[in-house]
Amino acid sequence: MTDPLLPELLALALEAARRAGALLRDGRPADLGVAATKSSPIDVVTEMDIAAEKLITGFLAEHRPDDGVLGEEGSATEGSSGIRWVIDPLDGTVNYLYGLPTWAVSIAAERDGETVVGVVEAPMRRETYRAVLGGGAFANDVPLRCRPAPPLDEALVSTGFNYVATVRTHQADVARRLIPRLRDIRRGGSAAIDLSDVAAGRLDGYYERGLSPWDFAAGDLIAREAGASTGGRPGQAPSGELTIAASPGVFEPLQALLEDFGAWHD
């Protein structure tokens, strides 16, 4: 890393994610309940989502008060430095609510609109995924590389489903049509971890419709820095319309099928 700002941003993201991950892991109440809902009654926020975002934003503001922030639980400031932090304090909230281990803290730093640092902290896995633009991707300091691409019918692909029932119904139909073309499909419940698993070679691909920037900002960079291809619809970047990450030889045929099946619309 020749840019002196990037190590600073990475160190802050790692420390903020570590602190939030420890809070979530060690501070989870036995009687944890739903604090609010978002898009539907099953799209939930817990008191711990809110507490983790407050911890992260407070830590970043202490060290870089002029930066902007975009957080899932409502934090939003413009900033004046050209740096914006994109934060999901608890990706996989429903898993966390039920005591399932697949959840993570996701923190990305953008400079002038381009993601330059990404950190995904997965406390129950004891893994921290990180990447800096142009500097590769790592998990606990071990370099990551996506899997060599198998034929599509031997690819293990993960996805996620929306919390709005009508949208989820169409997504289930897309998955039904995909399953015969793949080795199998997984549904983990955390976009940040799915993208990191593509980077780590634990999945051949991942796709999902309906993500927000905080869901994929860090994981997308980690996947790309591990050699994966990422995007949305043909010729487009990942977005709420469609996000895809896969080994390069899997990406193109998977993207083509998703386009044909209408995975980008409800």
Side-chain angles (χ1 to χ4, degrees):
M1 284 182 282
T2 58
D3 186 335
L5 178 60
L6 299 187
E8 176 190 347
L9 299 179
L10 176 61
L12 289 172
L14 285 167
E15 180 61 16
R18 185 195 67 78
R19 293 185 184 196
L23 171 70
L24 292 164
R25 182 194 62 224
D26 301 335
R28 183 184 184 279
D31 59 347
L32 178 66
V34 174
T37 60
K38 292 182 281 189
S39 63
S40 80
I42 56 174
D43 185 6
V44 301
V45 180
T46 71
E47 61 192 86
M48 298 303 291
D49 296 68
I50 298 165
E53 182 159 305
K54 183 177 180 180
L55 183 157
I56 294 166
T57 56
F59 175 82
L60 295 175
E62 177 184 349
H63 291 274
R64 293 189 56 88
D66 297 326
D67 292 352
V69 172
L70 177 66
E72 180 177 17
E73 306 312 333
S75 299
T77 57
E78 287 294 326
S80 59
S81 66
I83 302 297
R84 182 175 76 158
W85 298 93
V86 183
I87 301 162
D88 192 338
L90 177 48
D91 186 55
T93 299
V94 173
N95 285 346
Y96 183 79
L97 179 65
Y98 277 76
L100 295 169
T102 306
W103 55 268
V105 179
S106 176
I107 303 177
E110 298 176 342
R111 180 166 57 188
D112 300 325
E114 180 180 33
T115 304
V116 294
V117 166
V119 170
V120 173
E121 175 80 9
M124 306 309 289
R125 289 185 170 193
R126 298 182 174 84
E127 291 181 322
T128 303
Y129 308 91
R130 60 178 171 88
V132 171
L133 184 64
F138 300 83
N140 296 351
D141 298 323
V142 176
L144 296 178
R145 199 70 190 165
C146 65
R147 292 178 67 86
L152 189 64
D153 63 1
E154 297 177 15
L156 183 64
V157 174
S158 184
T159 191
F161 298 102
N162 197 278
Y163 289 111
V164 176
T166 54
V167 178
R168 195 165 65 242
T169 298
H170 177 62
Q171 290 174 320
D173 184 62
V174 171
R176 177 188 62 80
R177 297 174 71 184
L178 267 180
I179 286 172
R181 313 287 190 100
L182 306 171
R183 180 188 296 275
D184 206 350
I185 278 186
R186 295 288 183 267
R187 195 275 197 260
S190 165
I193 288 182
D194 281 340
L195 288 161
S196 299
D197 278 345
V198 171
R202 294 168 177 157
L203 294 168
D204 297 300
Y206 161 74
Y207 76 93
E208 189 164 349
R209 169 167 169 73
L211 298 182
S212 296
W214 46 76
D215 294 312
F216 64 80
D220 174 75
L221 179 64
I222 293 166
R224 282 191 284 115
E225 287 294 325
S229 297
T230 72
R233 296 188 66 191
Q236 296 183 17
S239 71
E241 196 171 48
L242 186 63
T243 296
I244 309 170
S247 299
V250 170
F251 181 87
E252 293 83 358
L254 177 61
Q255 184 186 53
L257 282 177
L258 293 170
E259 179 73 11
D260 184 47
F261 295 164
W264 46 273
H265 64 76
D266 299 336

